[in-house]
Amino acid sequence: MSVLLIAGSPTEHSRSATLLDGVETRLHAAVDDRRLHVDRLRIRDLSPQALLLADWGHPSIVRAIEQVANARALVIATPVYKAAYSGVLKVFLDLLPQTALKGKAVLPLATGGSPHHMLALDYALRPVLQSLGARHILPGVYASDSQIPKDENGGYVIEGEIAQRLDDATHILLHEGLRLLPTPGFKPVPFAQAQYSV
């Protein structure tokens, strides 16, 4: 069984990617790698020309669509720009077949400049995921920039409420989205003060 983590930020180091890192760490801590394969897709690494020209035959696009097809669940992380998800994520989702998410569970994650952009997950991203046939869109996690501050080394820090919400979201993804129980003997790592460097 596999989960595909999709980074929808146009920048290499971002707060939304940090949320994605947090989910990945939690998945590895909760489930044995032999039972759950976690893969990653950074949309910024795909050919920009192929994305913009809808070149379905380009090797990077073919591979990305295959990754989506092979995943049982997706975790999609995006920054919020102009009250919507990122343009690079939009272009990629437009390339997917109409039933690309059929039968899949999706956990959306987003970051934005202020709490006012929180509804972008429900009003902008969720309808697109539904139109692609997602079986189960889980409650998303939104964090404002102030909730994922930088530390003295330039890395982003996930702590407090956001760390707890990622714990809960990962638990729901495993139990409801994948119907997968944690491996016996595995002990989740406490994430209250988790830090991720850029």
Side-chain angles (χ1 to χ4, degrees):
M1 192 173 296
S2 67
V3 175
L4 178 62
L5 309 177
I6 299 179
S9 175
T11 60
E12 183 176 359
H13 304 300
S14 66
R15 287 177 169 87
S16 60
T18 300
L19 288 181
L20 210 56
D21 293 341
V23 171
E24 181 173 14
T25 301
R26 286 160 171 78
L27 288 172
H28 287 305
V31 181
D32 191 317
D33 289 346
R34 292 169 296 182
R35 300 173 62 213
L36 182 67
H37 174 71
V38 180
D39 199 5
R40 193 150 188 155
L41 169 61
R42 294 172 184 85
I43 296 174
R44 71 180 306 276
D45 292 340
L46 303 178
S47 165
Q49 184 174 6
L51 277 172
L52 292 176
L53 299 180
D55 182 0
W56 286 278
H58 190 279
S60 69
I61 302 300
V62 170
R63 171 66 183 136
I65 292 174
E66 286 176 352
Q67 285 180 278
V68 171
N70 293 334
R72 181 72 179 86
L74 307 175
V75 182
I76 300 176
T78 179
V80 173
Y81 301 128
K82 311 293 186 190
Y85 54 96
S86 72
V88 293
L89 179 58
K90 168 65 172 164
V91 172
F92 177 69
L93 293 176
D94 285 347
L95 288 177
L96 294 177
Q98 192 62 47
T99 58
L101 303 184
K102 185 176 180 179
K104 301 181 190 300
V106 182
L107 170 60
L109 310 172
T111 59
S114 77
H116 301 295
H117 296 129
M118 182 184 309
L119 295 178
L121 281 175
D122 288 330
Y123 291 105
L125 185 56
R126 182 175 291 269
V128 176
L129 300 177
Q130 288 173 331
S131 75
L132 291 169
R135 171 179 60 85
H136 189 16
I137 303 172
L138 305 171
V141 175
Y142 176 87
S144 61
D145 289 352
S146 63
Q147 292 176 302
I148 307 178
K150 283 191 173 182
D151 63 18
E152 63 276 5
N153 299 317
Y156 291 112
V157 180
I158 297 177
E159 57 188 6
E161 177 193 355
I162 299 304
Q164 183 59 56
R165 292 181 63 204
L166 284 184
D167 288 345
D168 296 341
T170 305
H171 178 82
I172 292 171
L173 175 63
L174 288 171
H175 292 270
E176 294 182 20
L178 294 170
R179 302 196 186 285
L180 190 62
L181 298 176
T183 303
F186 264 60
K187 295 182 180 177
V189 178
F191 291 97
Q193 298 297 321
Q195 294 189 13
Y196 304 92
S197 60
V198 291

